[in-house]
Amino acid sequence: KSYVEAFNMGNNVYIGGGFEHLDWVWDDAQITVASTEGSYDVSAQETGNRGLAFSSDGTKFFVVGYIGNDVGEYSMSTAWDVSTASYVDAFSLSSQGGVGRMGLDFNTDGTKMFVMSYQNDSVHEYTLSTGWDVSTASYVDAFDVSSQDTDPRGLAFSTDGTKMFMTGDQGNDINEYTLTTGFDVSTASYVDSLD
């Protein structure tokens, strides 16, 4: 595919293309012999999908993009099989201003959600009262990354949430942050970067 915008790896490799679909790529040996096993079209909800995240048990995936102003939630009847997906609902991000959502990540139990916005150069933190259910999300606060990149795109956290990583179009690097309280972006501070 051209315009690959997001991916998630485990035993399976998931690639979110720039043409409103999600492909599931499976490989039991090496990535070089991977094959497409199935896909799910998200264009009815988002036509500029950029961020992709999965629940830890593989029964849900989430999509955010630069066109829509929300996080879409999808359920899979067979874990890790996007061809069995169905749309559930979405959480609006409009109260945080702007559009241009790119990166997306969750903590390990799905009670925290993080969305990268390239329009206001920030990581936005949300609390979910029910894990992996975006309809229960509420806004907490944001962390400004503009000192490192004014066009942030990718976002990832360490398993314990004490490290955050951000990539962007301006700096062409991976920026590392330390959080003194895991998964609390208000406690984040910049460490360094890798070009």
Side-chain angles (χ1 to χ4, degrees), residues 15 27 30 32 51 70 74 97 103 110-111 125 127 144 154 169 171 174:
I15 299 174
D27 174 22
Q30 297 177 12
T32 56
D70 57 26
Y74 302 81
T111 58
E125 177 184 330
T127 297
D144 188 320
D169 269 4
I174 300 171

Side-chain angles (χ1 to χ4, degrees), residues 67-84:
I67 300 296
N69 210 8
D70 57 26
V71 175
E73 177 183 327
Y74 302 81
S75 180
M76 291 171 282
S77 57
T78 301
W80 306 109
D81 184 349
V82 297
S83 69
T84 68

